[in-house]
Amino acid sequence: MLKKLLNLFFPKVCEGCQNLLLERENIICLECRHNIPLTNHLNDSRNEAYKKFEGKIPIEHASAMMYYHKKGIGQHLIHNLKYKDKQEIGTVLGNWYSQDFSALEIIKTIDYIIPVPLHKKRLKERGYNQIDTFCQALSNELKIPLKNDILYRSEYAVTQSKKGLTERNKVSITTFDCHTNEDYSNKHFLLVDDVLTTGATLETCGKALLKFSGAKISIVTIGFSQS
């Protein structure tokens, strides 16, 4: 009864299109799920995400779940996740992507899931890292430990969404570093971020993790920007 009253006065809407959700829909309506522009990167080991890093850092795998288009469903979902504290979006998308990702043989070799970290000042301002729930869902479904205390951001900078493509490519090599109080040699790290645009941030994170002897890097993002 209480639930029905709450839905009456505070109706649940789709985080992709803002239309009212039907009774059995959750977070994202069925129409938006159907219309989300999936990349199908998992069907091609040398996909466009993988090619972003060729000649820059050695990686085992790279993929993004959906295309990130201006004013598209992907942009709405990631914007609400990142700026509107709709962290349940990350959980839904992480659970969904895990179903397909789990079929890859490379999953068996991954030791840790690593979210791209926010600077501690940015984390305090926002109150959460927008990629955490997506990472936690991947961790739960794939049975791979989530480690958010290995990699850290050492420089505070303007958010990437406010930068042009040229500026996004200028991520300092000192922006990210790793805590070395434990030995993570010969480990395979799955780096996870919200949107892959130029790849500069993930490249810098990867270089930091590759300081560990014998380390391997794979990369997953929710969105892939074709701009």
Side-chain angles (χ1 to χ4, degrees):
M1 183 66 175
L2 178 59
K3 184 177 180 180
K4 290 183 178 180
L5 286 173
L6 288 173
N7 288 338
L8 178 63
F9 292 103
F10 304 99
K12 295 180 179 180
V13 297
C14 170
E15 297 298 342
C17 64
Q18 296 300 299
N19 289 329
L20 289 175
L21 290 173
L22 300 179
E23 185 175 351
R24 295 188 178 182
E25 294 176 334
N26 180 40
I27 309 300
I28 306 170
C29 70
L30 291 177
E31 183 173 356
C32 279
R33 282 178 178 255
H34 178 75
N35 291 328
I36 285 175
L38 300 177
T39 64
N40 294 315
H41 284 169
L42 298 182
N43 296 325
D44 179 9
S45 60
R46 295 193 70 258
N47 57 63
E48 57 198 330
Y50 182 89
K51 290 177 182 178
K52 288 274 188 179
F53 303 97
E54 282 189 314
K56 298 176 181 177
I57 57 170
I59 60 171
E60 307 301 308
H61 166 88
S63 64
M65 180 178 182
M66 66 181 72
Y67 287 110
Y68 181 90
H69 297 139
K70 187 175 182 180
K71 297 183 179 180
I73 297 171
Q75 185 188 49
H76 287 307
L77 290 172
I78 293 172
H79 179 85
N80 288 338
L81 170 63
K82 189 170 184 176
Y83 300 111
K84 302 295 184 181
D85 197 11
K86 302 289 187 177
Q87 297 183 65
E88 61 272 18
I89 295 173
T91 301
V92 170
L93 295 179
N95 288 338
W96 183 1
Y97 200 53
S98 295
Q99 295 175 23
D100 295 326
F101 199 36
S102 63
L104 298 185
E105 282 296 313
I106 200 167
I107 289 297
K108 300 175 183 177
T109 71
I110 295 173
D111 296 291
Y112 298 113
I113 293 173
I114 311 288
V116 169
L118 298 179
H119 188 275
K120 57 184 179 181
K121 182 178 178 181
R122 176 77 67 200
L123 183 60
K124 186 176 181 180
E125 291 171 349
R126 188 172 294 165
Y128 60 96
N129 184 344
Q130 69 273 7
I131 201 64
D132 277 353
T133 52
F134 183 79
C135 286
Q136 189 62 64
L138 291 178
S139 176
N140 292 342
E141 295 298 317
L142 301 175
K143 310 303 180 186
I144 300 172
L146 170 63
K147 296 286 286 187
N148 54 17
D149 58 353
I150 299 177
L151 186 66
Y152 67 93
R153 187 164 192 145
S154 54
E155 294 182 357
Y156 180 81
V158 175
T159 181
Q160 291 286 85
S161 63
K162 296 181 180 180
K163 296 180 180 180
L165 289 179
T166 301
E167 291 176 293
R168 291 184 189 192
N169 271 316
K170 296 178 180 179
V171 180
S172 168
I173 60 172
T174 61
T175 300
F176 297 94
D177 208 344
C178 294
H179 295 289
T180 56
N181 56 320
E182 292 188 50
D183 184 10
Y184 291 105
S185 299
N186 302 309
K187 299 299 182 183
H188 186 177
F189 301 104
L190 178 62
L191 263 173
V192 185
D193 204 3
D194 53 1
V195 180
L196 172 55
T197 305
T198 66
T201 294
L202 286 158
E203 178 187 343
T204 309
C205 288
K207 288 178 178 178
L209 289 168
L210 286 170
K211 292 178 183 178
F212 294 114
S213 176
K216 294 181 179 180
I217 306 295
S218 286
I219 290 169
V220 161
T221 64
I222 299 175
F224 182 89
S225 176
Q226 294 177 302
S227 58

